């Protein structure tokens, strides 16, 4: 190309950018990614959106999903919508969609073939109601992981645990050395631990049959009694006074060597990365609590509340498209500890935990639904409250807790 042509070309693209800058819009984005690893990851999304000419106006809500979800939903219902918001794949936005408050992404999803390029299909299914697409899935996050600090075990002269049972066996010796065997955070992390123990002890099918199939005989029977006795083991490893307020504080106790292990979703991996720790050397990540490698189809999706300004609508669609671009998917998910939504991306920089997750994902039989894809959020909150009380009240027996758990499952509305 001659010099003149090059200059003319540059001038044209400059005027193109000028036009797109005029049409660009600010998008306020609400999310609950406020821990070290989460903040590093979400900065990648913000960078990618800003690079399109639009402006990511960060609306992080401190705390976690439990705090953020009601704020997000009431803002949209109350007529003060943000430009875009994180939620989990499941039923959390159903009322908002029914009320006609959310932007329909069907045309974009069809044009970009989201159903073909994103996997697993459960995530698009969660975004699709009556054939219309209402959200874009940005990652796959599974909840069934145990995280352990190798140095803590080496210092105590114990082999690092390969699974939950090894941890239970090591607990008395760890306690003797003044180490918390298991760190725990209050609220939903308790529910996460219970579900992980159901999956590890009773198996995936039984978990799904109770949470989705509402099989009350199973929930009150001997398979689940074993689960509640495992929950009792967990309770004995945790001093209620040491329970932290936030999930990442409990992970930090493992990172700093004050606790030996934590059970948390793969987003905990982002915290270990920020601390410059290497899996297999400084810490271990054990899917399925080391008992059976499985993963559930949790994760994050973005919804876009309807906006009267067509320029905002155009920016919302640009953002939806940007979040699933291959390079953006890689940059975000490497920092987040989650798996990218598309297989056609360069994962040469994946760490061992991500590689384990991808391996499980490839064997579809080991993948099962996220809790909120099977049961409503209110029932999940009741389960969290029940087990928070169980942890705090040694007089509550595993059998009492099991009976109360069955009542909650029984009363859960059909999905
Ligand atoms: C989940 C979310 C994850 C992670 C976690 C803790 O709901 O899917 O991305 O952020 O909360 O904040």
């Amino acid at each position: 190309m001659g010099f003149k042509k090059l200059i003319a070309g540059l001038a044209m693209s400059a005027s193109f950018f000028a036009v797109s800058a005029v049409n660009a819009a600010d998008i306020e984005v609400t999310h609950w990614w406020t821990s070290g690893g989460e903040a590093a990851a979400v900065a990648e999304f913000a960078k990618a959106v800003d690079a399109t000419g639009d402006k990511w106006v960060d609306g992080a809500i401190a705390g976690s999903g439990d705090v953020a979800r009601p704020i997000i939903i009431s803002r949209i219902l109350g007529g003060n919508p943000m430009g875009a918001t994180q939620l989990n794949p499941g039923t959390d936005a159903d009322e908002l969609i029914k009320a006609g408050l959310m932007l329909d992404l069907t045309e974009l999803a069809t044009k970009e073939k989201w159903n073909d390029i994103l996997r697993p299909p459960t995530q698009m299914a969660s975004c699709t109601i009556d054939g219309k697409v209402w959200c874009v899935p940005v990652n796959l996050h599974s909840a069934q992981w145990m995280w352990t600090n190798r140095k803590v075990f080496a210092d105590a002269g114990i082999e690092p645990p390969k699974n939950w049972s090894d941890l239970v066996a090591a607990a008395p010796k760890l306690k003797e050395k003044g180490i918390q065997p298991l760190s725990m955070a209050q609220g939903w992390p308790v529910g996460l631990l219970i579900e992980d123990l159901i999956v590890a002890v009773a198996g995936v099918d039984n978990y799904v049959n109770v949470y989705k199939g509402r099989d009350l005989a199973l929930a009150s029977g001997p398979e689940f009694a074993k689960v509640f006795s495992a929950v009792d083991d967990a309770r004995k490893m945790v001093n209620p006074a040491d329970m932290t307020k936030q999930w990442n504080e409990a992970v930090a106790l493992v990172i700093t060597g004050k606790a030996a292990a934590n059970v948390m979703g793969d987003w905990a991996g982002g915290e270990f990365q920020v601390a410059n720790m290497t899996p297999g050397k400084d810490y271990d990540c054990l899917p399925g609590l080391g008992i059976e490698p499985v993963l559930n189809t949790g994760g994050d999706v973005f919804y876009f509340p309807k906006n009267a300004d067509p320029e905002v609508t155009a920016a919302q669609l640009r953002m939806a498209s940007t979040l699933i671009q291959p390079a953006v998917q890689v940059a975000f998910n490497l920092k987040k500890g989650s798996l990218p939504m598309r297989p056609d991306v360069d994962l040469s920089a994946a760490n061992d935990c991500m590689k384990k997750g991808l391996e499980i994902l490839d064997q579809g039989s080991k993948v099962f639904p996220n809790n909120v894809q099977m049961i409503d959020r209110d029932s999940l909150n009741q389960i969290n409250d029940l087990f928070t009380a169980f942890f705090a009240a040694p007089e509550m027996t595993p059998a009492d807790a099991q009976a109360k758990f069955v009542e909650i499952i029984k009363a859960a509305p059909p999905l």
Side-chain angles (χ1 to χ4, degrees):
M1 190 192 287
F3 183 67
K4 272 194 184 155
K5 265 194 178 165
L6 178 68
I7 295 293
L10 285 177
M12 261 180 68
S13 45
S15 67
F16 169 78
F17 280 121
V19 170
S20 55
V22 168
N23 290 330
D26 287 2
I27 311 184
E28 187 205 356
V29 189
T30 47
H31 59 85
W32 56 88
W33 288 329
T34 53
S35 76
E38 291 174 327
V42 75
E44 294 293 339
F45 273 164
K47 203 163 64 182
V49 167
D50 287 351
T52 66
D54 296 316
K55 190 166 170 7
W56 173 292
V57 180
D58 202 73
I61 300 172
S64 54
D66 280 359
V67 177
R69 259 180 240 109
I71 298 176
I72 291 167
I73 291 170
S74 68
R75 269 192 59 183
I76 302 172
L77 282 174
N80 176 25
M82 59 299 291
T85 191
Q86 173 206 2
L87 281 174
N88 298 120
T91 50
D92 290 330
D94 282 6
E95 296 303 316
L96 303 173
I97 295 167
K98 266 192 220 135
L101 295 169
M102 306 307 260
L103 181 65
D104 179 352
L105 305 175
T106 313
E107 207 181 305
L108 177 69
T110 310
K111 188 173 128 225
E112 296 188 345
K113 300 192 166 49
W114 291 1
N115 273 320
D116 299 333
I117 62 171
L118 306 180
R119 60 86 169 91
T122 44
Q123 306 316 82
M124 276 303 287
S126 279
C127 283
T128 309
I129 295 183
D130 295 334
K132 288 192 174 164
V133 177
W134 300 99
C135 58
V136 59
V138 298
N139 63 355
L140 195 72
H141 256 320
S142 52
Q144 293 72 32
W145 296 76
M146 184 160 89
W147 307 85
T148 58
N149 182 325
R150 285 215 170 177
K151 186 169 182 303
V152 167
F153 288 94
D155 290 352
I158 312 172
E159 273 290 296
K162 296 211 163 19
N163 55 43
W164 173 259
S165 313
D166 289 352
L167 178 70
V168 174
K173 200 158 175 195
L174 290 164
K175 274 193 195 161
E176 261 170 41
K177 308 249 170 201
I179 304 283
Q180 290 181 37
L182 180 71
S183 63
M184 268 309 303
Q186 297 157 2
W188 62 267
V190 179
L192 181 145
L193 172 70
I194 306 312
E195 290 179 38
D196 284 6
L197 285 172
I198 298 175
V199 169
V201 174
V204 167
D205 290 349
N206 286 335
Y207 168 64
V208 174
N209 287 340
V210 167
Y211 274 67
K212 187 172 179 199
R214 316 288 165 82
D215 184 334
L216 300 179
L218 179 61
S220 50
E223 277 304 302
F224 268 60
K226 281 190 226 153
V227 173
F228 293 105
S229 125
V231 181
D232 194 32
D233 291 338
R235 168 167 75 165
K236 290 180 185 136
M237 290 194 275
V238 176
N239 173 1
D242 294 332
M243 283 171 80
T244 62
K245 287 223 155 39
Q246 298 295 338
W247 68 271
N248 52 313
E249 294 167 331
V251 174
L253 290 175
V254 178
I255 290 176
T256 54
K258 296 192 179 72
N262 182 248
V263 171
M264 186 41 62
D266 52 6
W267 48 89
E271 305 305 297
F272 286 92
Q273 290 195 69
V274 168
N276 281 324
M277 292 169 81
T278 309
K281 178 173 156 268
D282 304 315
Y283 69 100
D284 284 300
C285 49
L286 303 164
L289 313 192
I291 293 179
E292 209 210 331
V294 287
L295 60 85
N296 73 340
T297 52
D300 299 290
V301 299
F302 274 87
Y303 287 90
F304 303 84
K306 268 190 193 157
N307 193 296
D309 182 345
E311 287 182 5
V312 172
T313 309
Q316 290 172 315
L317 295 171
R318 269 194 297 276
M319 174 173 164
S321 176
T322 300
L323 299 183
I324 51 170
Q325 292 310 306
V328 180
Q329 278 286 296
V330 172
F332 171 79
N333 284 297
L334 283 179
K335 292 196 170 152
K336 189 71 170 66
S338 46
L339 305 180
M341 278 308 300
R342 44 196 302 171
D344 59 338
V345 296
D346 175 11
L347 289 175
S348 45
N351 75 11
D352 282 0
C353 300
M354 191 192 242
K355 283 186 191 145
K356 283 183 190 176
L358 288 167
E359 234 170 72
I360 305 169
L361 182 60
D362 283 346
Q363 311 168 27
S365 61
K366 308 257 173 161
V367 179
F368 58 98
N370 189 25
N371 52 15
V372 77
Q373 289 166 327
M374 302 191 286
I375 192 166
D376 63 295
R377 184 69 70 182
D378 185 45
S379 304
L380 290 172
N381 288 339
Q382 290 178 44
I383 296 171
N384 297 344
D385 291 347
L386 165 63
F387 286 98
T388 304
F390 179 73
F391 269 73
E395 67 281 5
M396 195 193 292
T397 65
D400 292 341
Q402 183 172 6
K404 293 201 167 87
F405 171 78
V406 174
E407 286 309 309
I408 298 172
I409 300 290
K410 192 172 166 193
L415 268 204

